[in-house]
Amino acid sequence: MTSASLSGRTVLVTGATSGIGYETARQLAERGATVLVHGRTAEEAQAAADRLIATAGIDAARLCAYGADFTRLDEVEVLAHRVIEAHPHLDVLVNNAAIAAPERHTVTADGNEVAFQVNFLAHYLLTCLLEPALTSDPGGRVVNVSSSLHRTANIQWSDPNRARRYSRLAAYAQSQLALTVFAADPRVTAVSLHPGVCETSLRPLYAHEGDSAAKGAAHVVRLCDPATEIVNGAYYDRDERVAPAPAATENRSVQRLNKLASLLVGHTA
């Protein structure tokens, strides 16, 4: 199947140095998009870009490397400002970066449980700050790479850090539910997606084996394509649109989450 060209489109992929993020960057660039490759450090992002140039024959002019450690919200702010300066028009933001919650309860320098910050709060802040670039032309969209585990979760509104009762699986699932709820926010058209269980560093949370990261990435890329019509707040399991957990579509949840997130990132978005 020959895929339509995405030339002229600019896409930022967070967590693009390995796994689904790296494969998403590769597939987008192969189809002609300009891809902003995000990694935890500028060096890691550049190494991923160099690998794409060397192994996939991607034109270096179509890749831009950016570093930002999502355990530090000030680095997320710097990333957003640098992206807007260089790319005042952004077609797609793929919120993909994610970590498995650690065994022990861990809090970032910003005071948030680490999985909640890396998997959700950093993306919340980044999306809010990039809103001017994503809405500079009609058709800008956000693709949140979430997880089917969001269905097992609840958001602990009074203790989002889960300081009182911590379980790594519950912390990870909460971060994915928050990301899924956030897709229903009306500011920028957004969808969320469970890309399937893939062979990535997160696979042990799910199963003994999984699909290739490239297969998971293909589902992400499909939602980046303007030819794929999307509805704000929609949730996809691979390439099928399905209903997310009930909380993800409740207006009250969306408003509560916005309030909580803007408080935790120290921004009134």
Side-chain angles (χ1 to χ4, degrees):
M1 184 183 109
T2 55
S3 305
S5 164
L6 294 174
S7 75
R9 292 181 76 74
T10 305
V11 185
L12 167 58
V13 182
T14 70
T17 55
S18 66
I20 290 173
Y22 178 79
E23 288 297 326
T24 297
R26 179 178 66 79
Q27 292 176 31
L28 287 166
E30 283 176 346
R31 287 177 57 183
T34 296
V35 183
L36 315 188
V37 176
H38 160 261
R40 202 171 46 87
T41 63
E43 293 72 27
E44 284 177 33
Q46 193 54 58
D50 292 343
R51 202 158 79 237
L52 287 168
I53 294 160
T55 62
I58 306 292
D59 176 359
R62 286 218 298 274
L63 299 170
C64 312
Y66 288 90
D69 182 345
F70 280 10
T71 66
R72 305 185 56 95
L73 294 175
D74 56 345
E75 291 196 20
V76 177
E77 288 205 42
V78 172
L79 168 66
H81 295 312
R82 285 184 55 212
V83 167
I84 282 191
E85 219 168 286
H87 305 275
H89 172 67
L90 190 62
D91 294 287
V92 189
L93 166 61
V94 177
N95 286 325
N96 164 76
I99 58 164
E103 293 289 348
R104 296 183 56 154
H105 185 260
T106 308
V107 173
T108 66
D110 299 292
N112 304 304
E113 190 275 313
V114 67
F116 197 59
Q117 177 162 322
V118 171
N119 301 356
F120 167 62
L121 291 171
H123 285 125
Y124 170 87
L125 179 59
L126 185 62
T127 306
C128 293
L129 294 173
L130 290 178
E131 184 192 341
L134 286 160
T135 54
S136 63
D137 268 1
R141 59 177 65 177
V142 177
V143 179
N144 290 338
V145 181
S146 173
S147 153
S148 57
L149 284 176
H150 87 274
R151 297 187 186 286
T152 67
N154 59 13
I155 295 171
Q156 295 279 11
W157 298 107
S158 58
D159 182 26
N161 276 351
R162 296 183 170 262
R164 289 197 285 279
R165 238 181 97 234
Y166 179 77
S167 125
R168 67 181 301 219
L169 204 57
Y172 175 76
Q174 170 178 264
S175 71
Q176 298 304 313
L177 175 58
L179 196 60
T180 306
V181 171
F182 181 44
D185 184 280
R187 281 175 286 201
V188 180
T189 302
V191 293
S192 50
L193 159 79
H194 169 58
V197 175
C198 300
E199 284 299 338
T200 69
S201 58
L202 296 175
R203 180 193 50 73
L205 288 170
Y206 297 90
H208 294 302
E209 54 193 62
D211 282 337
S212 69
K215 205 168 169 184
H219 300 303
V220 181
V221 172
R222 191 183 77 86
L223 293 172
C224 294
D225 187 338
T228 305
E229 284 190 33
I230 58 169
V231 178
N232 190 51
Y235 172 78
Y236 294 82
D237 187 331
R238 287 158 286 205
D239 55 7
E240 199 181 335
R241 186 178 169 189
V242 295
T249 51
E250 290 165 3
N251 205 10
R252 184 160 168 270
S253 301
V254 179
Q255 288 170 341
R256 270 185 98 172
L257 186 69
N258 264 329
K259 217 165 159 178
L260 175 68
S262 61
L263 187 76
L264 294 179
V265 301
H267 257 260
T268 17

